[in-house]
């Protein structure tokens, strides 16, 4: 199986691609609504994600990318309704490896398990073009009938990064602007000063549950630690290759399941 699903609540399931290194494994979120469902981010495209999601729902699906990077946009092309920020649109319509960040140091480290994906060739890997069918920007609302998400423009990691905020449930999906790990602000189109502003905005939102683009979800106390340590210049990722080797020393099985046992949702 190319995917695994964990049901976190009646509303939210987490889907992850199998055979992708823990630090690169995108959180693919399936959010169930009365009238339609959301799929937030789509992984690297190593398997048929839409078919996997359709096993769980017969409602219409809106696929949303928080940003254009290869670990989030790989299966976007499979969906009929593809939504994202206009500033990411050109990289989704005509993905270049350089622009979707599958380039440089990222191609020098192992991120896909050859035992799980024997046909994966890092040298020829490309993201399938997925032109957006609609734009999402600050102030837009995604209404699922029994819940609604406000779109927040959260640039810094990339210019058109977005977050989805359910004010009633105090829950926010933050993409790669904020997750429980080292943040990336030195990519070709990243901007650290902008990311700092985005993080202080997320800090002031009043959210209780944070679902990031990678790693297990977290609450308010952990959010504060992460945002404050970023402000001190701590949790950022600068030297990808050195970081990767540290990671492999600490966690030799980089493909093992993550520990989500500490994640509590009501
Ligand atoms: Zn990512």
């Amino acid at each position: 199986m190319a995917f695994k699903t964990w049901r976190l609540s009646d509303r939210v399931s987490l889907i992850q691609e199998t055979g992708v290194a823990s630090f690169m494994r995108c959180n693919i979120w399936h959010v169930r609504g009365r009238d339609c469902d959301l799929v937030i981010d789509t992984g690297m495209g190593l398997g048929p994600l839409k078919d996997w999601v359709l096993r769980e729902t017969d409602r219409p699906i809106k696929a949303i990318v928080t940003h254009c990077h290869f670990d989030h946009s790989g299966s976007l092309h499979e969906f009929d309704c593809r939504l994202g920020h206009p500033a990411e649109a050109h990289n989704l319509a005509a993905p270049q490896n350089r622009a979707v960040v599958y380039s440089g140091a990222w191609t020098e480290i192992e991120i896909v398990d050859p035992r799980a994906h024997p046909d994966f060739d890092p040298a020829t890997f490309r993201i399938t073009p997925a032109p957006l069918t609609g734009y999402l920007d600050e102030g837009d609302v995604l209404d699922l009938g029994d819940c609604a998400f406000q779109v927040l423009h959260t640039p810094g990691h990339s210019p058109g990064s977005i977050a989805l905020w359910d004010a009633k449930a105090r829950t926010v999906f933050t993409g790669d602007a904020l997750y429980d790990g080292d943040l990336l602000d030195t990519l070709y189109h990243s901007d650290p000063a902008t990311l700092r502003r985005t993080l202080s905005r997320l800090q002031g939102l009043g959210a209780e549950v944070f679902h990031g683009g990678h790693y297990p979800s977290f609450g308010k106390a952990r959010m504060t630690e992460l945002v404050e340590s970023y402000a001190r210049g701590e949790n950022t990722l600068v030297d990808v290759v050195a970081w990767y080797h540290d990671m492999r020393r600490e966690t030799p099985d980089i493909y093992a399941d993550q520990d989500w046992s500490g994640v509590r949702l009501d």
Side-chain angles (χ1 to χ4, degrees), residues 47-66:
L49 175 63
K50 184 179 165 189
D51 291 351
W52 183 261
V53 176
L54 286 175
R55 293 157 34 132
E56 303 288 332
T57 184
D58 49 16
R59 289 177 293 271
I61 297 170
K62 293 181 175 170
I64 292 158
V65 268
T66 60

Side-chain angles (χ1 to χ4, degrees), residues 23-27 41 66-67 69-72 157 175-176 179 184 187 213-214:
F23 56 84
M24 188 53 69
R25 196 179 300 156
C26 166
N27 291 334
D41 287 331
T66 60
H67 61 297
H69 297 158
F70 76 96
D71 49 327
H72 299 258
H157 176 72
D176 284 2
Y179 49 70
L184 279 166
L187 306 173
H214 299 268

